Amino acid sequence: AQKITQTQPGMFVQEKEAVTLDCTYDTSDQSYGLFWYKQPSSGEMIFLIYQGSYDEQNATEGRYSLNFQKARKSANLVISASQLGDSAMYFCAMSGNNDMRFGAGTRLTVKP
Amino acid sequence: DGGITQSPKYLFRKEGQNVTLSCEQNLNHDAMYWYRQDPGQGLRLIYYSQIVNDFQKGDIAEGYSVSREKKESFPLTVTSAQKNPTAFYLCASSITLLGTEAFFGQGTRLTVV
């Protein structure tokens, strides 16, 4: 079975600084996708970034980048130049041949 | 506009009653999912469906049931057998199960009174 682990329940970062949110995964599938979502207090899930297991280059979307290390089975999210609006829950997720699963999440707080 | 719609946004249920949460998408997606989220926690997979008339149990399917009679609809019934149903329920859809972004509805907050 697939498993996603986020070991940081909460993180703090100073406004305008960069922050890394950790995500490790476990799967026996050869082909899979890795995602990051943001969930503000309103509850909606906002897609941030995607990395395919066969993609050799790390994905980037604006201020978001995914540090993909396949051998270590990690898919860390890097947010550059943090903004106050980045304060939210962040979830790592993985899709495989059977389903799509999420980690427990990391609550990020950006300090002014 | 294409999207995924959940209704109602808030739902109150008396103990012992079944209740059905609606999820409709007009994105022509094959895969649909139901997740449960408890306060301060992550999303746990209840059921998912890859195609019409087919669905699979997730990690916490006990006390829940689903149907997939149409591609665009994936309703979730919370039965009286679910011992602790108060939670936030999220429905999602994706083109397929692999390699594509999942689009989420706005969620339904269910409270048992």
Side-chain angles (χ1 to χ4, degrees):
Chain A
Q2 299 176 134
K3 185 178 179 181
I4 302 285
T5 303
Q6 294 180 254
T7 57
Q8 305 156 315
M11 288 283 286
F12 292 89
V13 64
Q14 206 66 36
E15 192 178 9
K16 299 181 185 178
E17 292 185 351
V19 62
T20 298
L21 306 184
D22 294 341
C23 174
T24 58
Y25 61 92
D26 189 21
T27 181
S28 57
D29 294 335
Q30 294 300 309
S31 184
Y32 49 89
L34 295 159
F35 306 81
W36 278 91
Y37 284 83
K38 173 184 178 181
Q39 187 181 43
S41 57
S42 59
E44 62 186 306
M45 295 289 284
I46 301 169
F47 167 76
L48 297 178
I49 197 166
Y50 162 78
Q51 178 87 38
S53 59
Y54 291 117
D55 294 341
E56 294 185 353
Q57 288 197 329
N58 288 341
T60 60
E61 289 286 348
R63 295 186 298 112
Y64 305 108
S65 60
L66 198 153
N67 184 1
F68 180 46
Q69 297 188 40
K70 194 170 183 177
R72 294 185 177 183
K73 293 190 175 179
S74 73
N76 298 340
L77 177 70
V78 180
I79 305 174
S80 62
S82 296
Q83 301 172 356
L84 295 178
D86 293 336
S87 293
M89 283 290 288
Y90 287 81
F91 293 99
C92 180
M94 178 171 64
S95 65
N97 289 325
N98 294 317
D99 55 35
M100 184 167 186
R101 295 176 182 273
F102 286 74
T106 296
R107 182 170 296 282
L108 177 66
T109 302
V110 180
K111 294 183 174 180
Chain B
D1 287 339
I4 182 164
T5 303
Q6 288 186 244
S7 61
K9 189 173 182 180
Y10 298 96
L11 188 58
F12 296 87
R13 187 195 95 174
K14 291 183 179 179
E15 281 193 35
Q17 287 183 338
N18 292 354
V19 64
T20 297
L21 282 59
S22 170
C23 178
E24 302 277 334
Q25 54 98 359
N26 59 3
L27 300 166
N28 200 32
H29 286 173
D30 285 323
M32 297 188 74
Y33 321 78
W34 274 105
Y35 294 92
R36 169 181 171 142
Q37 186 177 29
D38 292 288
Q41 297 190 28
L43 280 66
R44 291 186 290 169
L45 184 62
I46 306 173
Y47 269 98
Y48 64 97
S49 168
Q50 297 185 57
I51 56 172
V52 173
N53 292 323
D54 182 69
F55 47 82
Q56 305 296 327
K57 292 182 179 180
D59 295 327
I60 55 165
E62 185 175 351
Y64 300 97
S65 65
V66 294
S67 63
R68 187 84 187 275
E69 297 176 1
K70 298 185 298 181
K71 187 175 185 177
E72 53 275 15
S73 178
F74 191 42
L76 173 75
T77 297
V78 184
T79 75
S80 57
Q82 170 50 237
K83 298 304 178 188
N84 185 21
T86 295
F88 186 52
Y89 291 87
L90 283 159
C91 179
S93 72
S94 61
I95 297 174
T96 63
L97 276 178
L98 176 66
T100 58
E101 164 193 358
F103 292 80
F104 281 82
Q106 294 296 306
T108 293
R109 195 166 299 278
L110 173 65
T111 303
V112 174
V113 297

